[in-house]
Amino acid sequence: QAMVQLQQLCDKVPPFESSIAFQTMREELGVADVADVFSQITPEPVAAASLGQVYKATLRETGEEVAVKVQRPFVLETVSLDLHLSRLAGLALRKLSPDSAQRLDIVSLLDEFAANFYQELDYELECANGIRLAQEMRVLPRVKIPRNYPAITSRRVHVAEWVDGEKLSQSTADNVGD
């Protein structure tokens, strides 16, 4: 039940303006036009989530189909402010209710969460992790790790192989492997 609710929450994130996403691509990839890198790209995102949105594109150089993930504008600044304010509240709770703070150390939880969350916002790190994961998982016959493209990935734009599939939540037990 909780998984279904989380999925519904993730599915209801509205996309941000594609003009902003395309500007981010141009800036991050250092090109005057996204057509310099992609011979085709969907004008609108095919998926949107809390941190970014994804476009389906074709690489100009090779003709390969790719997913282009673009980070939401100001997500780093917004999350940083939210985490800072939450941490201040946690520090105040420590002073006001030391017993409660001992049972549930909000500040320590936030510090741990923040460190991992900032890594999620670094698409170059995600790309490197994808490459490493593909190397480590290559011996498993039914595991597909999309190819990552570090030469055209930046902190706010991640390019990876496009893979057709379906959500795990929509699969039936007998076809999950496929």
Side-chain angles (χ1 to χ4, degrees):
Q1 179 67 14
M3 182 62 112
V4 171
Q5 290 174 340
L6 181 60
Q7 186 63 52
Q8 288 173 345
L9 180 66
C10 290
D11 287 346
K12 290 183 179 175
V13 177
F16 58 92
E17 289 292 325
S18 285
S19 60
I20 296 170
F22 280 76
Q23 179 63 30
T24 301
M25 287 182 228
R26 287 190 297 272
E27 290 172 1
E28 292 287 311
L29 302 179
V31 294
D33 190 334
V34 295
D36 295 346
V37 180
F38 310 111
S39 57
Q40 291 183 326
I41 187 165
T42 55
E44 297 300 324
V46 295
S50 56
L51 299 183
Q53 58 197 37
V54 175
Y55 295 82
K56 184 176 182 180
T58 304
L59 290 180
R60 176 164 297 290
E61 197 172 295
T62 64
E64 295 167 281
E65 286 190 328
V66 293
V68 182
K69 182 165 60 170
V70 182
Q71 197 170 99
R72 281 189 178 276
F74 306 112
V75 71
L76 180 63
E77 294 83 353
T78 303
V79 169
S80 295
L81 179 59
D82 289 347
L83 287 170
H84 175 69
L85 294 175
S86 299
R87 194 171 193 284
L88 288 178
L91 289 170
L93 182 65
R94 263 188 190 169
K95 289 179 182 172
L96 293 173
S97 180
D99 293 339
S100 295
Q102 261 188 337
R103 285 194 307 275
L104 178 63
D105 188 353
I106 293 172
V107 175
S108 294
L109 286 171
L110 279 170
D111 288 347
E112 182 69 24
F113 172 79
N116 291 316
F117 190 78
Y118 283 120
Q119 289 182 352
E120 287 286 316
L121 293 176
D122 185 347
Y123 289 171
E124 288 174 318
L125 181 60
E126 181 178 339
C127 180
N129 286 340
I131 292 167
R132 191 185 86 241
L133 186 63
Q135 278 287 71
E136 293 174 2
M137 296 294 192
R138 70 184 183 278
V139 296
L140 300 177
R142 299 193 74 174
V143 174
K144 170 69 176 168
I145 307 297
R147 178 179 172 200
N148 285 262
Y149 296 84
I152 47 175
T153 289
S154 70
R155 189 184 68 77
R156 297 188 305 148
V157 175
H158 180 212
V159 180
E161 175 186 5
W162 181 268
V163 178
D164 288 315
E166 63 185 22
K167 291 181 183 179
L168 188 58
S169 62
Q170 295 174 339
S171 295
T172 56
D174 61 346
N175 77 351
V176 167
D178 295 335

